[in-house]
Amino acid sequence: MATQAGSVLRRPAKPEIAVFVSGVVSMGLEILGGRIVAPEYGSSIYTWGTVIAVSLAALSLGYHVGGKRAAERASLGRLSWLLLAAAAYAGALAFAHEPMLAATANAPLPTRFESLPAVTLLFGVPTYLLGFVSPYAAELTRKDGVGAASGHVYALGTIGSIAGAFGTTFLLVPALSVERIALAFAGVLVGGALRLGRPTLSWKLWGSGRDWSTRASRPVLRGPTDAELAVFVSGLVGMGLEILAGRVVGTQFGSSIFTWGSIIGVSMAALSLGYHVGGKRAAERATDARLARLLLGATAYVAVLIFAREPLLGATTALPLSARFASIPAIVLLFGPPTYLLGAVNPYGAELSTVEGTGAASGHVYAVSTVGSIVGAFAATYVLIPSLSVEGIGLLFGVALLATAVRIVVSAPAPERRPTVMSVAVALLLVSSVAAPSLGYSIHGEVVHQTQTPYQELEVVDRGDTRTLYLDGKRHSAMDLDDPNRHVFEYTRYFHMPYLLADDPDEIDRVLFVGGGGFTGPKRFAEEYNATVDVAEIDPKVIDAADRYFGLDEYRESGEINVHNAGGRQFLQETDHTYDLIVMDAFKQDKVPFQLTTVEFMELASDRLSEDGMLYANMISARSGPASQFYRSEYKTMGEVFPQRYSFPTDDANVVQNVEVIATKDDAPVTESELRERNRRRDIGIDLTEEIGSYQRSVPTDDVPILRDDRAPVDSLLEPMVGQRYVVQETDESESATAAGAVVRDPSAPAATAR
């Protein structure tokens, strides 16, 4: 049987090697970027959106400049120099990322933009250099046709990005320090450069070589063509969907690095397939009408997402996958098809481009697309998600795609078969998806408030006499409407344990809570004790909801509670206060800010504590076994800084539950019998007899790591808990100061801290 020439397996050509390697490292740097800046700026959607947007901006600039220079300067030698220059910068990051981070820490910018200078300095330069590689390689490829060459090259680059995203997320970050990962990237780039051959030294790699005195050569300003508009909008919506995916799947799978890595990897895979298939078909089939059909197909799927995202999400949760990969089927089903269709737009746009030259046309088109992606990333991160519902954001994306398709349909040449009927049908589908009732489930109870925040979806729900704060569909806080300061959840009673561990409870004068939620603990402390209570809560809309629906405003107005809209680590870095007690109440089962778990954070907390100060950590974990790994690792990490630690699991069974750990600066331990005696003698407003009985005297830590800023595999440690039911106990309605009352296990309790 004769074998078609196009199907013969062959070794990759040298330009293809360069493209693949640049894709691996550029995406690996993007994932690593989120890890490096998190200790300073947290890991909110603002930080991730900034990392993604800066990476796209640098790539876009590299595509644009490289595309303009590709026709005259593209060579294997220059490709080699590009990889070596990027390798030098990646290697420098391994040794200089901390001073570079510190140099940008005090930029006078709003909170949502404060990480922008650091991300730009750390990752903008190498990513810009790697952006040159694709248009240079497109110019050097043997593919015939602009669409085929650009589709092939950018598909290879995106396959490299997939490898970089998944490899960094699932292999490198859990196993290696930040420094070693950066050095590994430098090594990959050097290896790729050596594979290309001897670098060609030429100043024209950086200079334009253009006679700027000749004004006639300057391009004339013009409006965008239909192909350019389609490419821009596809980039905008594609990246907007990627950011939105974090919000949609986060409600079910959390927002760990595994979830974000899966989102980025699946998006890259879908784009790569779109580039490849679109590139193969572009030379023969690229027309304005077919370009419009791609946009209409993506619009139709966005309409399906608006209408049926909850059932589609639920359909993937029962698949028997490891926890770190559990979100992949949902991401593929929900966001793979539209991203694939949008990926096919680019090679069609390149084939229809008016720019001459394969490298120039491909560089121009992919630069325009990436500019659209930048707009989509910033808009979704800083404007849409904090302001609109998921349905509202989906509607805007659908309208943008539909409007672009209609413009192309209207302006298409007369002989073409215009997809007019398809346009009308998709428009009706989009309108119907918004007008029809959602197929998703609703939380039982009366929803009195609902909004999107920069960090999560927030709902306040009344059921009977209990008001509950839901974050991403999970219970976080509860308040008895008839008795607002009653502890609804059993574990919040343990917050008073430091008043038994202290030599003199009256010396606990200033308390800091990291994490507010419904502010149950801070309000009770303000009522019970003569202490100044500060709270660092990172989410401004959580603070607003607590003011309006949980009575926080009264305490703020009276000065009993001081609320600071800041992340816990950032607040401790900036405050000049000294605290007698710091309560860490910012952890979830599926999402723990790793920057609040490390030795460096413990040292910072110790510096902000008084001589006899204590650090209290409310964690979710099992008592023992694989699901206890994070708790035991954190216990071990605390021991690197604090002489004494006391552990109190809140349930006798080995189930996922709240585990309270208190670390003190006191060298002398307090025994269980001493705690019981102090509980009998001291009037601290609550009887902790039952709670003292849960004291866990021995916590094995030989098989778990110490967590540090440069290597804190928190997501891997949390992985055994994913999918397990979290048991939270509720106090009896008749709770008094002398009895905990009956315990109720809530079968619908979520995988998150309920404050």
Side-chain angles (χ1 to χ4, degrees), residues 332-563:
V332 171
L333 178 62
L334 289 166
F335 299 97
T339 306
Y340 161 73
L341 292 172
L342 294 173
V345 169
N346 282 16
Y348 274 61
E351 190 68 33
L352 297 171
S353 173
T354 58
V355 177
E356 295 182 359
T358 300
S362 62
H364 173 71
V365 164
Y366 285 87
V368 170
S369 174
T370 312
V371 170
S373 297
I374 297 165
V375 175
F378 276 117
T381 301
Y382 299 118
V383 180
L384 299 182
I385 287 178
S387 305
L388 299 176
S389 66
V390 170
E391 290 79 8
I393 297 171
L395 177 62
L396 282 180
F397 289 157
V399 168
L401 291 169
L402 180 62
T404 305
V406 169
R407 167 175 163 161
I408 295 174
V409 168
V410 171
S411 61
E416 286 198 56
R417 184 180 177 183
R418 301 176 180 179
T420 306
V421 175
M422 183 179 178
S423 301
V424 174
V426 170
L428 291 174
L429 179 62
L430 186 62
V431 172
S432 300
S433 69
V434 178
S438 173
L439 292 179
Y441 66 89
S442 61
I443 298 170
H444 294 293
E446 179 188 357
V447 179
V448 297
H449 176 63
Q450 184 178 36
T451 187
Q452 295 286 331
T453 86
Y455 303 89
Q456 55 225 330
E457 183 180 60
L458 182 152
E459 289 180 309
V460 178
V461 178
D462 285 352
R463 187 176 186 180
D465 295 330
T466 301
R467 173 165 290 172
T468 304
L469 174 68
Y470 286 83
L471 298 177
D472 282 340
K474 304 174 180 69
R475 295 197 308 172
H476 266 245
S477 299
M479 181 180 73
D480 188 327
L481 294 173
D482 295 329
D483 185 4
N485 287 316
R486 182 178 74 84
H487 290 293
V488 175
F489 295 118
E490 170 71 16
Y491 81 88
T492 58
R493 294 169 53 85
Y494 288 80
F495 286 172
H496 302 268
M497 193 66 73
Y499 284 85
L500 298 182
L501 286 167
D503 291 334
D504 183 356
D506 292 334
E507 292 183 356
I508 301 179
D509 294 323
R510 194 171 195 113
V511 180
L512 171 67
F513 280 79
V514 176
F519 287 75
T520 301
K523 289 190 298 179
R524 185 69 179 258
F525 271 47
E527 288 285 341
E528 294 283 353
Y529 309 118
N530 183 25
T532 301
V533 180
D534 292 348
V535 182
E537 168 57 57
I538 197 170
D539 194 331
K541 292 195 176 182
V542 167
I543 298 172
D544 293 341
D547 277 335
R548 295 172 59 189
Y549 301 103
F550 291 87
L552 175 63
D553 56 336
E554 299 176 9
Y555 292 87
R556 297 180 71 184
E557 291 171 2
S558 66
E560 295 174 277
I561 297 177
N562 306 306
V563 180

Side-chain angles (χ1 to χ4, degrees), residues 139-153:
E139 189 68 33
L140 297 172
T141 188
R142 298 176 182 177
K143 295 286 182 180
D144 294 328
V146 174
S150 61
H152 175 69
V153 164

Side-chain angles (χ1 to χ4, degrees), residues 123-209:
F123 305 103
V125 173
T127 307
Y128 164 73
L129 294 172
L130 294 173
F132 274 71
V133 172
S134 291
Y136 273 45
E139 189 68 33
L140 297 172
T141 188
R142 298 176 182 177
K143 295 286 182 180
D144 294 328
V146 174
S150 61
H152 175 69
V153 164
Y154 286 89
L156 283 176
T158 311
I159 291 172
S161 296
I162 298 165
F166 281 115
T168 306
T169 300
F170 298 117
L171 298 177
L172 300 184
V173 168
L176 301 176
S177 66
V178 167
E179 290 79 4
R180 291 185 178 181
I181 296 173
L183 289 174
F185 289 155
V188 169
L189 290 169
V190 170
L194 295 177
R195 182 69 178 83
L196 294 177
R198 180 179 298 177
T200 300
L201 183 61
S202 172
W203 293 108
K204 289 185 178 182
L205 173 63
W206 316 111
S208 67

Side-chain angles (χ1 to χ4, degrees), residues 37-310:
V37 301
E40 184 69 35
Y41 301 105
S43 52
S44 71
I45 195 171
Y46 290 150
T47 302
W48 275 107
T50 299
V51 169
I52 293 171
V54 167
S55 297
L56 290 171
L59 281 175
S60 177
L61 187 60
Y63 291 158
H64 176 70
V65 178
K68 294 181 70 173
R69 301 175 181 179
E72 297 179 358
R73 300 170 193 173
S75 68
L76 293 177
R78 290 191 174 99
L79 277 177
S80 182
W81 272 116
L82 287 168
L83 297 183
L84 289 174
Y89 205 96
L93 285 178
F95 303 101
H97 66 274
E98 289 186 354
M100 294 169 76
L101 197 60
T104 59
N106 298 318
L109 293 172
T111 301
R112 63 181 62 185
F113 300 113
E114 62 184 359
S115 64
L116 183 59
V119 175
T120 302
L121 177 63
L122 286 163
F123 305 103
V125 173
T127 307
Y128 164 73
L129 294 172
L130 294 173
F132 274 71
V133 172
S134 291
Y136 273 45
E139 189 68 33
L140 297 172
T141 188
R142 298 176 182 177
K143 295 286 182 180
D144 294 328
V146 174
S150 61
H152 175 69
V153 164
Y154 286 89
L156 283 176
T158 311
I159 291 172
S161 296
I162 298 165
F166 281 115
T168 306
T169 300
F170 298 117
L171 298 177
L172 300 184
V173 168
L176 301 176
S177 66
V178 167
E179 290 79 4
R180 291 185 178 181
I181 296 173
L183 289 174
F185 289 155
V188 169
L189 290 169
V190 170
L194 295 177
R195 182 69 178 83
L196 294 177
R198 180 179 298 177
T200 300
L201 183 61
S202 172
W203 293 108
K204 289 185 178 182
L205 173 63
W206 316 111
S208 67
R210 179 179 295 177
D211 183 5
W212 291 102
S213 64
T214 308
R215 295 181 177 268
S217 63
R218 296 182 179 178
V220 178
L221 293 177
R222 58 172 177 80
T225 64
D226 286 350
E228 290 170 338
L229 180 62
V231 165
F232 176 84
V233 172
S234 71
L236 186 153
V237 175
M239 183 51 60
L241 288 175
E242 183 174 324
I243 301 294
L244 186 63
R247 178 54 48 88
V248 171
V249 302
T251 60
Q252 185 67 42
F253 300 101
S255 302
S256 69
I257 194 172
F258 294 144
T259 301
W260 274 107
S262 297
I263 289 169
I264 294 171
V266 168
S267 296
M268 293 294 103
L271 284 174
S272 176
L273 186 60
Y275 293 158
H276 176 69
V277 176
K280 293 181 69 174
R281 298 177 179 177
E284 299 178 358
R285 304 181 62 182
T287 65
D288 288 342
R290 288 194 172 99
L291 190 60
R293 289 190 182 95
L294 289 172
L295 298 175
L296 290 172
T299 307
Y301 206 93
V302 169
V304 172
L305 284 179
I306 295 172
F307 182 59
R309 64 184 173 91
E310 292 292 353

